[in-house]
Amino acid sequence: MPRITLRGDFINKAYKPHLQNTHRYQIFFGGAGSGKSVFLATRCVLDALSGRNTLVVRQVARTLKSSCWNEILKAIRRLDLSPLFTVSKTDHTVTARNNGAQILFAGLDDVEKIKSLTPIRGVLTDIWMEEATECAYPDFKQLDKRLRGLSRHPKRLTLSFNPVSRDHWIFKEFFSLWREGKSYAEDERVSILKTTYKDNRFLTPSDRLALEQEKNPYFYQVYTLGNWGVSAPVIFTNWHVESLPDPVPGETRMGLDFGFAADPCGFLLLRYDRKSRTVRVMEEMLERGLTNMDLAQRLRHYAALGPIACDSAEPKSIAELRALGIPAYPVRKGPDSILHGIQWLRQQQLILSPACPRLREELTAYQWQQDRDGHPLPRPRDRDNHLIDALRYALEEEMDRRLASTGDKRALGL
């Protein structure tokens, strides 16, 4: 490794002991803004100069460029190490000039690419799974098997993420050694470090204030405090994330929940397999500030796939979308349609594509209201549920032909 001089404050204090961490499985979790990704990108850069080959993965390949790839390039510049690396923007590789060690990038949605990726010298010594809660357990097991072959460096598989539900496979796989109230735990093969925004001295005062003033109880627990799970009763537990087969089985369904400024507009594309009672959600959109003209442009790609079920509370918006060539139609909400829809959805298997992280967040946080004694009431909290509403609209005809009748779609030209 070339002799380089770094300032003593180039990383946050909480992470310094982990520059040389050699545990096989390393967990870095906690709140938003805690500096996890910046530290691990910095470590990747320094590891390459010492001869380590690292594969950096996320569930969806297209998200790598705006996250881990950029963080690693920024780390090289921040440490003034640009002369020591060759960066290829064509095949997205970073190569250390002193020894040929490489940092490689791949999405778990591109299995064939991962199978064929290999460094130009030596073997993979490290894998970094960013946003690991988006990844499925079988993918983790396959990546673990990629860490094989002779090397003078101990093999390491590193997972970084904001925690979600305690039902997640990461919690079940690694957190038996964890004790609440602690920030670090380890055994012979596993190390776990929890950090929050308080561990990141590089945040601005406004960054800290935004996290401290978070109003959503779930987001405050997860993204501000970095805690697993939620304190209130969660409505949906019958879901998981996995890569969907090609082709995706079932009948195409689409749902749209209107929004503009305070509330975003939510859209889902899914397929429903009636025989296995399985809902597979393929794509999502959640965006604020869309006019109906903007919305029509976003939905034009989906128009040929079939009708789009919309919230009937906005007939004007539905009429405008139809005038713009979008096959939108109103669902007719029956008595207690929200509770009816929730109960029906709870009886299905919900499978989310990794391309739907916002729906995953909504399902994780969607809770029953509580009385003053903390007992759940038969009413969901009406917030952060725009994609869940779109999910109900898309499937209302399946839920109950009588309660969710949408009338004769042929009369609407659909």
Side-chain angles (χ1 to χ4, degrees):
M1 181 174 177
R3 182 179 296 275
I4 58 177
T5 302
L6 300 174
R7 299 194 318 269
D9 61 352
F10 74 101
I11 59 171
N12 286 301
K13 181 180 179 181
Y15 298 109
K16 284 186 179 180
H18 300 278
L19 283 170
Q20 303 298 326
N21 189 338
T22 58
H23 284 86
R24 170 77 177 198
Y25 305 105
Q26 301 186 21
I27 311 295
F28 294 88
F29 85 106
S34 63
K36 300 181 295 294
S37 299
V38 174
F39 163 69
L40 290 171
T42 302
R43 192 174 77 168
C44 281
V45 170
L46 298 176
D47 284 345
L49 294 175
S50 68
R52 285 185 171 273
N53 290 305
T54 300
L55 171 62
V56 183
V57 300
R58 284 192 66 170
Q59 182 61 51
V60 180
R62 60 179 169 78
T63 62
L64 278 167
K65 184 177 185 300
S66 61
S67 57
C68 302
W69 169 260
N70 284 344
E71 287 293 354
I72 285 174
L73 297 189
K74 287 193 290 186
I76 292 173
R77 293 192 295 267
R78 185 172 62 251
L79 300 175
D80 294 325
L81 299 178
S82 297
L84 302 182
F85 288 93
T86 299
V87 176
S88 173
K89 295 182 179 180
T90 303
D91 56 4
H92 287 95
T93 59
V94 176
T95 306
R97 291 176 176 172
N98 65 310
N99 55 27
Q102 290 188 302
I103 305 172
L104 309 173
F105 300 81
L108 295 177
D109 55 344
D110 191 347
V111 177
E112 295 306 316
K113 182 177 181 180
I114 289 181
K115 288 180 180 178
S116 62
L117 273 177
T118 184
I120 57 175
R121 292 186 184 178
V123 299
L124 280 177
T125 61
D126 289 79
I127 296 177
W128 170 20
M129 298 178 68
E130 169 72 324
E131 301 292 354
T133 51
E134 297 177 358
C135 307
Y137 182 68
D139 293 329
F140 162 76
K141 297 299 288 185
Q142 288 299 318
L143 290 172
D144 199 13
K145 294 176 182 178
R146 289 293 313 271
L147 291 174
R148 61 181 184 270
L150 294 176
S151 174
R152 64 187 178 89
H153 299 285
K155 306 295 196 318
R156 304 182 302 189
L157 205 168
T158 298
L159 291 75
S160 59
F161 55 90
N162 301 118
V164 287
S165 168
R166 290 172 182 262
D167 292 330
H168 198 280
W169 66 263
I170 293 177
F171 189 87
K172 296 176 181 177
E173 183 81 3
F174 294 110
F175 276 73
S176 60
L177 62 89
W178 186 251
R179 297 295 177 266
E180 292 301 330
K182 302 294 183 181
S183 61
Y184 183 70
E186 66 175 21
D187 60 18
E188 294 79 4
R189 289 170 62 79
V190 180
S191 69
I192 304 176
L193 177 69
K194 176 185 176 181
T195 52
T196 70
Y197 73 98
K198 294 181 180 179
D199 295 295
N200 187 357
R201 63 185 182 81
F202 299 107
L203 288 182
T204 67
S206 61
D207 293 333
R208 293 173 178 272
L209 190 62
L211 288 163
E212 291 168 350
Q213 294 184 340
E214 174 60 58
K215 296 296 190 294
N216 182 290
Y218 169 75
F219 292 147
Y220 184 79
Q221 285 291 319
V222 171
Y223 296 108
T224 302
L225 302 182
N227 293 329
W228 285 95
V230 293
S231 58
V234 176
I235 294 175
F236 292 108
T237 59
N238 56 321
W239 62 273
H240 66 275
V241 178
E242 70 175 50
S243 297
L244 300 182
D246 186 17
V248 179
E251 299 179 9
T252 298
R253 298 283 187 270
M254 292 178 283
L256 177 66
D257 184 46
F258 291 106
F260 183 69
D263 293 325
C265 177
F267 168 81
L268 290 180
L269 168 67
L270 57 92
R271 293 235 171 103
Y272 180 60
D273 187 337
R274 192 176 296 110
K275 184 176 181 181
S276 65
R277 300 175 68 87
T278 301
V279 179
R280 293 179 173 88
V281 185
M282 303 160 63
E283 297 181 31
E284 68 176 28
M285 179 190 71
L286 191 67
E287 194 168 344
R288 286 183 172 83
L290 295 180
T291 65
N292 286 333
M293 180 70 74
D294 296 330
L295 184 56
Q297 292 176 346
R298 299 285 201 285
L299 297 177
R300 201 167 304 284
H301 168 72
Y302 304 97
L305 300 179
I308 300 175
C310 305
D311 184 356
S312 57
E314 295 213 20
K316 181 179 179 182
S317 293
I318 293 172
E320 289 181 4
L321 287 179
R322 292 180 56 75
L324 293 167
I326 304 303
Y329 72 93
V331 296
R332 192 170 68 205
K333 303 172 184 177
D336 296 322
S337 60
I338 295 177
L339 284 178
H340 178 77
I342 287 173
Q343 295 303 330
W344 187 89
L345 286 170
R346 279 157 57 96
Q347 298 172 39
Q348 315 301 307
Q349 181 183 18
L350 308 180
I351 303 177
L352 279 58
S353 163
C356 300
R358 304 298 295 277
L359 178 59
R360 174 173 63 86
E361 289 182 359
E362 286 193 9
L363 290 171
T364 303
Y366 199 43
Q367 304 164 4
W368 298 113
Q369 294 183 33
Q370 293 176 287
D371 63 21
R372 64 181 61 188
D373 297 319
H375 301 127
L377 299 171
R379 298 190 299 271
R381 292 181 175 178
D382 187 19
R383 62 188 183 205
D384 303 315
N385 56 355
H386 307 288
L387 291 174
I388 291 174
D389 284 347
L391 181 64
R392 287 193 299 105
Y393 300 151
L395 292 162
E396 273 203 352
E397 280 195 330
E398 296 291 341
M399 295 175 186
D400 190 312
R401 304 284 179 174
R402 178 178 61 84
L403 289 178
S405 172
T406 59
D408 187 353
K409 287 185 288 186
R410 288 175 298 178
L412 299 173
L414 302 175

